[in-house]
């Protein structure tokens, strides 16, 4: 298919999605907000973890930091400035965490990232209950669901566009070399640590903004809501299901799984966590390269028939 048709089709879909609040009801708009949020989270997660192989479970830590920044500052500062501050806090925390931990690898980084999310949740809980003598916070901002949706949709477009740009840049080339062999990458002068830290910081900043943008949707937040570990696991499963190493993989994984999770949580609320765990195991064993990788394997195993000899001649 010609690139012009692809760009035209993509632009038409984007315009259709942007106009959705004008022709869908409140229920479907709520689903679209959730979809836009998880497409962005999964794409941002894959931006770092999909290219480096570092499986991070700290997604909810940055998500919650963004939400709590809005809850604390929304009554004192303009909303746009609050978003900038939230992004700055997320960036700073990511740089500190990256400098301290990205020398870890494998299961050690997974455990650390999970522990980081729990540590942040416990610190916020302690601060709220001990210093403020309360647990939750109310958020009153003049933002409707359509405003939250448009912000998340724009952030999703920026995230996917940024992923595409990085894939074609020197940073993307450096990541490919690092993924193939870190020793070779070090020998040819690539700064492995700083490359990983830069990507981790960008990914974490986007995740922080998702939490900050979604916070006004709930009106009332507390640590158990915005630091719920399910956010990290769902983001991970969606990215793996679609294909964490592909540009459109996380988005293609987020859409069907988000709808499935909504249906499971509504119809099987008592068994939701069990079903989530079973699904995670199935995806890891059956689709290690995601749905996009599976289709690529199928296409390679069924190559197009070669042209008749007389035509070649």
């Amino acid at each position: 298919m010609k690139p012009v048709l692809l760009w035209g089709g993509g632009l038409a879909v984007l315009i259709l999605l942007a106009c959705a609040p004008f022709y869908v009801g409140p229920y479907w708009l709520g689903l679209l907000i959730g979809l836009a949020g998880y497409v962005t989270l999964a794409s941002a997660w894959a931006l770092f973890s999909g290219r480096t192989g570092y499986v991070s479970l700290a997604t909810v830590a940055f998500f919650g930091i963004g939400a709590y920044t809005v809850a604390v500052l929304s009554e004192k500062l303009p909303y746009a400035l609050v978003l900038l501050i939230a992004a700055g806090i997320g960036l700073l925390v990511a740089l500190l965490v990256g400098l301290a931990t990205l020398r870890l690898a494998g299961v050690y980084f997974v455990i650390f990232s999970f522990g980081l999310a729990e540590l942040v949740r416990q610190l916020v809980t302690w601060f709220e209950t001990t210093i403020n003598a309360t647990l939750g916070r109310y958020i009153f901002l003049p933002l409707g669901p359509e405003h939250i949706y448009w912000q998340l949709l724009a952030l999703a477009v920026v995230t996917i566009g940024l992923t595409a740009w990085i894939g074609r840049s020197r940073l993307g080339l450096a990541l490919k070399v690092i993924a193939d062999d870190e020793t070779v990458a070090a020998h040819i002068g690539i700064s492995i640590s700083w490359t990983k830290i830069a990507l981790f910081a960008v990914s974490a900043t986007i995740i922080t903004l998702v939490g900050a943008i979604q916070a006004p949707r709930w009106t009332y937040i507390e640590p158990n809501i915005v630091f719920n570990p399910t956010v990290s696991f769902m983001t991970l499963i969606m990215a793996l299901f679609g294909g964490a190493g592909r540009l459109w993989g996380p988005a293609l994984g987020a859409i069907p799984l988000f709808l499935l999770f909504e249906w499971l949580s509504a119809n099987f609320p008592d068994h939701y966590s069990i079903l989530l765990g079973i699904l995670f195991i199935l995806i890891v064993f059956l689709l290690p390269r995601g749905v996009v990788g599976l289709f690529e394997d199928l296409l390679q195993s069924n190559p197009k028939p070669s042209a008749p000899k007389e035509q070649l001649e």
Side-chain angles (χ1 to χ4, degrees):
M1 186 177 291
K2 294 182 178 179
V4 176
L5 293 177
L6 284 174
W7 280 102
L11 184 61
V13 171
L14 182 60
I15 293 173
L16 193 67
L17 288 173
C19 295
F22 299 114
Y23 58 81
V24 301
Y27 172 76
W28 288 104
L29 183 56
L31 278 183
L32 286 174
I33 290 174
L35 268 175
Y38 271 106
V39 165
T40 312
L41 285 176
S43 299
W45 182 90
L47 181 63
F48 169 72
S49 296
R51 283 162 174 73
T52 62
Y54 280 63
V55 178
S56 171
L57 292 177
T59 302
V60 77
F62 295 100
F63 181 88
I65 287 173
Y68 253 90
T69 303
V70 172
V72 172
L73 299 177
S74 61
E75 294 183 358
K76 303 171 185 174
L77 297 172
Y79 177 65
L81 182 58
V82 173
L83 289 184
L84 284 176
I85 293 174
I89 294 174
L91 176 64
L92 180 62
V93 173
L95 288 174
L96 293 174
V97 170
L99 286 169
T101 65
L102 284 180
R103 295 183 186 279
L104 300 175
V107 69
Y108 299 103
F109 182 78
V110 178
I111 294 172
F112 175 85
S113 62
F114 184 75
L116 172 68
E118 187 62 18
L119 174 64
V120 173
R121 185 174 75 90
Q122 293 296 337
L123 284 175
V124 172
T125 302
W126 173 84
F127 181 84
E128 293 290 73
T129 55
T130 306
I131 306 299
N132 286 334
T134 183
L135 185 60
R137 289 176 180 266
Y138 288 94
I139 303 173
F140 298 109
L141 284 170
L143 296 172
E146 66 276 13
H147 302 122
I148 296 172
Y149 170 68
W150 283 325
Q151 291 178 73
L152 289 173
L153 183 63
L155 188 59
V157 172
V158 169
T159 305
I160 294 173
L162 184 63
T163 304
W165 177 78
I166 288 176
R168 297 170 181 269
S169 67
R170 291 172 60 87
L171 178 59
L173 183 60
L175 287 168
K176 288 180 182 177
V177 178
I178 292 173
D180 290 338
D181 194 323
E182 290 195 2
T183 304
V184 173
H187 277 299
I188 63 176
I190 295 175
S191 176
I192 297 174
S193 297
W194 283 108
T195 302
K196 291 178 182 176
I197 290 171
L199 208 60
F200 182 67
V202 172
S203 169
T205 303
I206 295 172
I207 292 171
T208 306
L209 280 174
V210 175
I213 292 171
Q214 284 198 336
R217 183 186 179 195
W218 293 304
T219 307
Y220 173 82
I221 66 169
E222 61 179 46
N224 288 334
I225 296 175
V226 296
F227 291 103
N228 188 338
T230 305
V231 175
S232 293
F233 288 111
M234 286 177 62
T235 302
L236 170 64
I237 294 172
M238 289 171 178
L240 293 180
F241 179 68
R246 270 67 177 176
L247 175 62
W248 294 101
L252 293 176
I255 294 171
L257 287 189
F258 175 78
L259 297 175
L260 176 63
F261 293 153
E262 285 290 304
W263 183 78
L264 288 175
S265 62
N267 293 278
F268 304 97
D270 296 333
H271 306 89
Y272 176 70
S273 299
I274 298 174
L275 295 172
L276 192 67
I278 293 173
L279 185 62
F280 176 69
I281 293 171
L282 289 175
I283 289 174
V284 169
F285 276 99
L286 301 179
L287 296 169
R289 297 176 61 227
V291 173
V292 177
L294 177 64
F295 276 111
E296 289 177 353
D297 292 341
L298 290 175
L299 289 175
Q300 289 176 359
S301 63
N302 296 292
K304 293 181 180 178
S306 57
K309 188 175 181 181
E310 55 272 20
Q311 291 183 10
L312 294 174
E313 295 173 348

